[in-house]
Amino acid sequence: MEPKQHTLQILLADDDIDDCSFFAEALKEIPIATYLTTVRNGEELMKYLSKNANDLPHVLFLDLSMPRKTGFECLSEIKGSELFKNIPVIMFTTSVSRGINFEQNIIATLTMMGALDYIRKPAGFEQLKQVIHDALTLVTTKISETDIPKSS
């Protein structure tokens, strides 16, 4: 009898349709069993988490710049909630154009707020696959295998 495959439940909150498509395509090429759910804005994210409080994702990739509620606002709500505070959150955003010091300050603030990691969306597909793979590897070291449900 072979061992059951574990599936990592991923939630992506991003309003950019192309970025969501590239993310989904990259996941298909990564050697980690995953299931992806996507929401398009911060309000939709918070509604999704509330509605699925008994079946939360193993990791949330959260875009910083979204309509209705920003990634900052969502991260603050998530980490301030007893129900959601243990979800590993990876900030996943386009390059910040105001310079490295500004970006370093944002990263420090997000980390202080409870983000597990910060990823600047790469331009190339191979780099995208690599940063997602690295992030998922980080997440899987943070959660034990018993927390990942076995797929049928």
Side-chain angles (χ1 to χ4, degrees):
M1 185 174 170
E2 63 183 17
K4 296 261 184 190
Q5 182 68 31
H6 297 286
T7 302
L8 197 61
Q9 304 295 320
I10 299 171
L11 179 58
L12 172 62
D14 195 330
D15 61 311
D16 188 305
I17 294 169
D18 290 336
D19 285 351
C20 291
S21 295
F22 290 135
F23 190 98
E25 287 303 311
L27 272 185
K28 291 177 185 174
E29 296 189 23
I30 293 172
I32 297 172
T34 59
Y35 180 81
L36 177 64
T37 302
T38 305
V39 294
R40 301 281 185 209
N41 63 61
E43 282 182 4
E44 194 178 325
L45 167 62
M46 298 315 295
K47 286 178 187 171
Y48 177 89
L49 292 175
S50 294
K51 186 176 173 184
N52 294 283
N54 293 326
D55 188 25
L56 294 171
H58 294 111
V59 60
L60 166 62
F61 284 82
L62 178 57
D63 185 22
L64 210 50
S65 303
M66 290 188 298
R68 301 202 181 133
K69 258 187 196 172
T70 68
F72 278 109
E73 292 170 308
C74 292
L75 179 63
S76 179
E77 279 187 51
I78 289 166
K79 294 306 177 180
S81 164
E82 283 301 313
L83 288 174
F84 311 138
K85 70 180 183 182
N86 293 323
I87 300 170
V89 179
I90 297 173
M91 303 310 291
F92 192 65
T93 191
T94 52
S95 178
V96 177
S97 60
R98 295 188 195 173
I100 192 72
N101 289 336
F102 183 77
E103 187 172 31
Q104 291 301 324
N105 288 338
I106 288 175
I107 294 168
T109 300
L110 293 169
T111 302
M112 186 179 67
M113 291 173 68
L116 177 62
D117 201 1
Y118 172 94
I119 297 172
R120 192 179 323 139
K121 296 175 185 176
F125 187 71
E126 290 303 316
Q127 295 93 339
L128 178 64
K129 285 190 329 190
Q130 188 62 54
V131 297
I132 293 171
H133 183 269
D134 292 349
L136 294 179
T137 301
L138 175 64
V139 167
T140 57
T141 62
K142 298 284 183 193
I143 57 178
S144 70
E145 284 235 336
T146 57
D147 292 334
I148 302 175
K150 296 183 185 210
S151 60
S152 303

